[in-house]
């Protein structure tokens, strides 16, 4: 129920954004359409979740304008099952009659969308069927998923008074339809076969279809994806999503290393907002995923700023952030292919984050241009910023000096005429001990004891006694 409500809210937001993307000319055309107008909605190419809101918007505009019909111009090899089911629901619930015009092929998810229409029309040489769901690796989905798809196809066929066995045979090759297909063969119908089975009517072209529907005198409104829908579909594309995630995480990592909020943090927050916003608008992400991600980031920030080391807060924060991202890429029917697809996107994003983090730590801070822009700190900044970094001193390694304070484990030692803040390897070192620098790590100069004060005193007493005897 909560998922359905989130999906409806996201769909409403998407329609609002899409309406805002209409040009003044398109808006004027929308106002002038009469009751005989026919909406032509193209469903071309691979079906993905970004296409579902476009179909929903088109159906809503057709209803508001009082159009006489909506024709789905279909030529698709298939795509996501969850996207097809969302489109099929919108078509079934449409107040305006919806017809499917198969213009070459309606395979897999395209067959499901076609069966949701009130009537199917096919041009010569077209095909429909081959609707077995597959995983992201191209393998047949588990029986649970196949069964759900088979039931959906059967229900749509029954609602249109069509032979349900034919629809089931398009999904499951084990179903035999006497005189049509044998067991072990997945059913795909040609135009002639679909006509013989009363699944479709044949029309030569678009004009013939309009004549069949009795709408030859009406205006044809060609629906197109507007700039707002293109933007959202681009941002939610599985190729673009990993880059948005990577920029988001890297921006936050850079910001943690800097004393103020700057360009890197702004880029990170904007990238994450675009990622989650686009996925929410296409119905993938829900509020629960965004909340879990936010809690994860909060726990990691607590770990970074308030708790030393890396413990339970960091672990839980990392799990929460990854879970929120993962949930935002699933949405709808939990097809195993969707899990594989989400895992691929997430793995790509993590790989980019790891590579980017290595470059950030090892290479980029030495880039003078980035340092001047304030993205990375140099060895020191102005007094107004209030931060000065310790200069690296590799020349101190190997030098011997004297501890001016007790080192427990940190303190001060003198090397020649220079006072230096130092820290011991592990044990405490008494004041006056002779020490040697074994490592210089920026602000940490690690020392090791050479002689303790008591040993120095005994050595001096021994030298004094020897000198007295000689005299």
């Amino acid at each position: 129920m909560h998922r359905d409500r989130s999906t409806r809210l996201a769909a409403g937001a998407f329609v609002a954004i899409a309406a805002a993307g209409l040009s003044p000319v398109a808006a004027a055309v929308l106002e002038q359409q009469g009751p005989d107008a026919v909406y032509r909605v193209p469903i071309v190419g691979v079906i993905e979740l970004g296409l579902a809101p476009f179909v929903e918007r088109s159906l809503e505009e057709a209803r508001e304008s009082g159009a006489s019909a909506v024709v789905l111009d279909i030529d698709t090899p298939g795509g996501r099952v969850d996207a097809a089911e969302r489109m099929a629901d919108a078509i079934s619930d449409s107040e305006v009659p919806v017809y499917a015009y198969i213009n070459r092929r309606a395979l897999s998810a395209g067959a499901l969308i076609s069966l949701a229409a009130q009537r199917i029309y096919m041009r010569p040489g077209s095909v429909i069927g081959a609707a077995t769901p597959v995983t992201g690796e191209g393998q047949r989905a588990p029986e649970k998923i196949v069964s759900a798809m088979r039931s959906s196809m059967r229900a749509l066929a029954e609602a249109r008074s069509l032979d349900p066995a034919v629809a089931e045979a398009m999904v499951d090759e084990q179903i035999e339809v006497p005189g049509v297909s044998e067991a072990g063969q997945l059913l795909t119908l040609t135009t002639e076969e679909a006509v013989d089975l009363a699944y479709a009517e044949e029309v030569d072209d678009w004009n013939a279809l309009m004549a069949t529907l009795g709408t030859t005198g009406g205006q044809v409104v060609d629906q197109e994806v507007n700039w707002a829908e293109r933007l959202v579909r681009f941002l939610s594309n599985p190729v673009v999503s990993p880059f948005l995630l990577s920029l988001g995480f890297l921006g936050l990592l850079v910001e943690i290393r800097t004393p103020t909020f700057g360009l890197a943090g702004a880029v990170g927050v904007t990238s994450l907002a675009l990622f989650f916003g686009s996925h929410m608008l296409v119905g993938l992400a829900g509020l629960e995923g965004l909340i879990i991600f936010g809690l994860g980031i909060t726990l990691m920030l607590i770990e970074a700023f308030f708790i030393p080391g890396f413990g339970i807060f960091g672990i839980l924060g990392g799990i929460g952030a990854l879970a929120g991202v993962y949930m935002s890429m699933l949405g709808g029917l939990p097809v195993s292919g969707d899990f594989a697809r989400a895992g691929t996107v997430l793995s790509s994003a993590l790989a980019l984050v790891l590579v980017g983090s290595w470059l950030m730590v090892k290479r980029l801070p030495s880039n003078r241009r980035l340092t001047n822009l304030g993205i990375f700190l140099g060895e020191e900044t102005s007094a107004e910023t209030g931060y000065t970094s310790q200069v690296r001193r590799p020349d101190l390694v190997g030098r011997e000096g004297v501890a001016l304070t007790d080192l427990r484990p940190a303190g001060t030692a003198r090397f020649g005429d220079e006072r230096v803040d130092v820290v011991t390897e592990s044990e405490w070192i008494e004041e006056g001990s002779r020490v040697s620098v074994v490592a210089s790590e920026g602000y940490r100069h690690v020392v090791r004891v050479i002689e303790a004060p008591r040993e120095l005193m005994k050595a001096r007493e021994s030298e004094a006694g020897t000198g007295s005897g000689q005299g």
Side-chain angles (χ1 to χ4, degrees):
M1 181 66 69
H2 178 70
R3 166 64 66 180
D4 293 340
R5 183 173 181 272
S6 298
T7 301
R8 288 196 299 271
L9 291 174
F14 194 99
V15 170
I17 291 177
L22 289 174
S23 65
V25 175
V29 170
L30 185 61
E31 293 179 356
Q32 296 174 0
Q33 290 162 6
D36 293 332
V38 175
Y39 273 63
R40 183 177 187 173
V41 181
I43 300 179
V44 180
V46 177
I47 295 172
E48 34 84 17
L49 273 170
L51 188 61
F54 163 66
V55 173
E56 291 170 343
R57 173 178 69 84
S58 299
L59 294 175
E60 179 63 19
E61 290 183 5
R63 183 192 66 80
E64 292 178 352
S65 67
S68 60
V70 174
V71 177
L72 306 176
D73 195 343
I74 302 174
D75 184 8
T76 175
R80 292 185 60 129
V81 175
D82 50 359
E85 289 200 332
R86 180 174 167 183
M87 295 162 65
D89 290 342
I91 294 168
S92 299
D93 297 338
S94 174
E95 298 179 13
V96 180
V98 181
Y99 303 98
Y101 172 51
I102 299 179
N103 191 4
R104 295 301 184 194
R105 60 191 64 81
L107 303 176
S108 190
L112 177 66
I113 295 170
S114 300
L115 281 178
Q118 291 190 5
R119 187 63 178 163
I120 300 174
Y121 296 90
M122 301 175 65
R123 61 174 291 181
S126 299
V127 292
I128 180 175
T132 297
V134 297
T135 66
E137 294 78 22
Q139 303 297 322
R140 188 178 189 270
E143 176 57 29
K144 180 179 180 180
I145 307 303
V146 174
S147 176
M149 181 69 170
R150 187 170 57 234
S151 298
S152 297
M153 294 283 284
R154 181 178 66 247
L156 290 173
E158 290 174 345
R160 302 292 182 254
S161 299
L162 301 174
D163 185 357
V166 174
E168 291 182 282
M170 294 181 181
V171 179
D172 192 344
E173 66 273 12
Q174 299 304 320
I175 295 179
E176 180 179 359
V177 180
V180 179
S181 65
E182 300 178 357
Q185 296 179 350
L186 193 63
L187 180 59
T188 300
L189 298 176
T190 64
T191 299
E192 291 75 11
E193 291 170 337
V195 171
D196 292 340
L197 293 172
Y199 256 69
E201 292 183 22
E202 182 177 354
V203 292
D204 292 332
D205 52 26
W206 176 263
N207 293 331
L209 174 60
M210 292 294 98
T212 301
L213 296 177
T215 57
T216 52
Q219 178 186 6
V220 176
V221 181
D222 288 318
Q223 289 291 92
E224 296 181 356
V225 178
N226 59 38
W227 65 266
E229 291 166 334
R230 287 194 185 95
L231 177 62
V232 174
R233 291 177 65 180
F234 171 77
L235 295 175
S236 60
N237 189 287
V239 177
V240 179
S241 292
F243 289 99
L244 291 176
L245 278 178
S246 303
L247 285 175
F249 282 117
L250 287 175
L252 294 181
L253 287 174
V254 171
E255 205 58 45
I256 290 175
R257 291 172 53 88
T258 57
T260 59
F261 187 84
L263 178 61
V267 171
V269 171
T270 301
S271 297
L272 291 176
L274 291 174
F275 172 82
F276 282 100
S278 61
H279 281 71
M280 289 185 71
L281 287 174
V282 298
L284 277 172
L287 293 177
E288 63 276 11
L290 185 59
I291 292 173
I292 291 175
F293 176 81
L295 289 176
I297 293 296
T298 301
L299 290 175
M300 288 194 291
L301 291 177
I302 292 175
E303 183 80 23
F305 290 107
F306 300 105
I307 302 176
F310 187 81
I312 187 65
F313 279 85
I315 295 174
L316 291 178
I319 294 175
L322 294 179
V325 170
Y326 200 77
M327 291 174 63
S328 73
M329 290 184 291
L330 292 180
L333 191 66
V335 180
S336 58
D338 294 338
F339 286 100
R341 188 181 296 107
T344 300
V345 173
L346 191 56
S347 300
S348 302
L350 289 177
L352 290 172
V353 168
L354 291 176
V355 173
S357 300
W358 180 83
L359 290 173
M360 179 183 70
V361 173
K362 296 295 184 180
R363 304 292 182 186
L364 298 183
S366 60
N367 189 302
R368 293 185 178 274
R369 293 182 179 178
L370 296 179
T371 300
N372 293 335
L373 288 174
I375 298 179
F376 294 100
L377 288 177
E379 293 180 344
E380 65 178 30
T381 60
S382 63
E384 289 77 7
T385 306
Y387 178 85
T388 301
S389 175
Q390 181 73 24
V391 180
R392 294 183 179 275
R393 294 290 303 280
D395 58 294
L396 290 177
V397 178
R399 291 187 61 180
E400 297 181 2
V402 178
L404 299 180
T405 64
D406 290 337
L407 308 182
R408 302 185 178 183
T412 306
R414 185 179 69 245
F415 298 90
D417 297 330
E418 184 179 4
R419 294 169 60 95
V420 179
D421 292 331
V422 296
V423 63
T424 69
E425 288 181 304
S426 58
E427 78 282 2
W428 289 3
I429 298 178
E430 295 181 72
E431 176 186 354
S433 300
R434 289 187 59 77
V435 295
S436 173
V437 180
V438 295
S440 179
E441 304 170 349
Y443 64 92
R444 294 181 73 248
H445 305 298
V446 184
V447 297
R448 179 184 301 163
V449 65
I450 299 176
E451 289 182 306
R454 286 186 293 273
E455 296 172 346
L456 287 172
M457 186 64 68
K458 290 179 181 180
R460 290 171 183 170
E461 289 176 354
S462 177
E463 292 176 0
T466 302
S468 174
Q470 289 177 347

